[in-house]
Amino acid sequence: RHLPSLIDEISHHHSGSPSRVQLYPSNIRPALSHALADAGYALTHEHLAYTLTTDARRPPLPDELEVRCVDTIERLRDACRVRGSAFGEDDALPEEEVLQRYLADCTGDRARVHRFVVYDRPSGQPISAGGMTTFPKLSFGFLWSGGTVPEARLRGAYTAAVSARMERAA
């Protein structure tokens, strides 16, 4: 019930400047969408892309972190749980059949899908994860679905997941 007045306040403070509200699937609510539309905000989609070369400098892995390649069903489950927590989504795991298919994509000599999980060494808990699909003929790797659980952020875990994917791409 306070959304229209809050949006008016934001608009007032941003008057004369471009203003945008960034929504993700985890925070979109019908009332918010309608209130933003009523205030003149338009729905748009924005996609950002960044590139890294595989020879870019990578920071050292902190001693308290360990990165493991997803090569077992349990590590895949860990990666899925991390993703759910990192993105604020339901932590329900995919069905077993789907997990088995994902694992098959990640394993074998010709696998092009690579997933990594970063573990906190002292607790053994998975705290960050990320995936990558490689395109060897193009000398290209596409990083996707990377994130860190909220309580473990700012410790270098996501950087470790990016570094592992860069190393694999190289």
Side-chain angles (χ1 to χ4, degrees):
R1 69 176 191 264
H2 300 289
L3 283 173
S5 63
L6 292 172
I7 292 169
D8 284 345
E9 184 179 338
I10 291 168
S11 296
H12 173 73
H13 287 292
H14 288 208
S15 64
S17 301
S19 179
R20 72 179 186 179
V21 177
Q22 195 163 341
L23 301 177
Y24 298 95
S26 60
N27 68 0
I28 293 177
R29 301 289 185 275
L32 178 58
S33 297
H34 292 303
L36 288 168
D38 290 346
Y41 286 87
L43 178 64
T44 62
H45 295 278
E46 182 176 284
H47 301 277
L48 303 174
Y50 299 94
T51 62
L52 295 168
T53 61
T54 56
D55 59 354
R57 187 178 82 72
R58 295 187 285 276
L61 181 67
D63 290 339
E64 70 273 7
L65 301 178
E66 180 179 5
V67 182
R68 295 182 187 161
C69 179
V70 170
D71 57 2
T72 67
I73 196 73
E74 193 50 48
R75 285 191 190 143
L76 178 57
R77 286 185 185 111
D78 287 346
C80 291
R81 285 185 193 106
V82 165
R83 185 198 176 284
S85 177
F87 290 101
E89 297 172 355
D90 187 342
D91 63 351
L93 292 173
E95 293 180 15
E96 190 65 24
E97 177 183 313
V98 174
L99 286 171
Q100 291 296 335
R101 196 170 56 243
Y102 286 171
L103 184 61
D105 290 342
C106 296
T107 56
D109 295 337
R110 298 167 54 92
R112 291 184 31 233
V113 176
H114 311 279
R115 292 176 182 241
F116 296 89
V117 181
V118 181
Y119 292 87
D120 174 73
R121 280 188 201 271
S123 69
Q125 293 298 305
I127 59 172
S128 190
M132 175 179 67
T133 303
T134 54
F135 300 88
K137 290 181 181 178
L138 300 174
S139 298
F140 178 81
F142 177 73
L143 279 61
W144 45 268
S145 195
T148 301
V149 299
E151 60 274 13
R153 292 182 180 152
L154 302 175
R155 294 181 37 206
Y158 184 71
T159 299
V162 170
S163 291
R165 291 181 282 175
M166 289 173 65
E167 185 174 323
R168 177 60 57 91

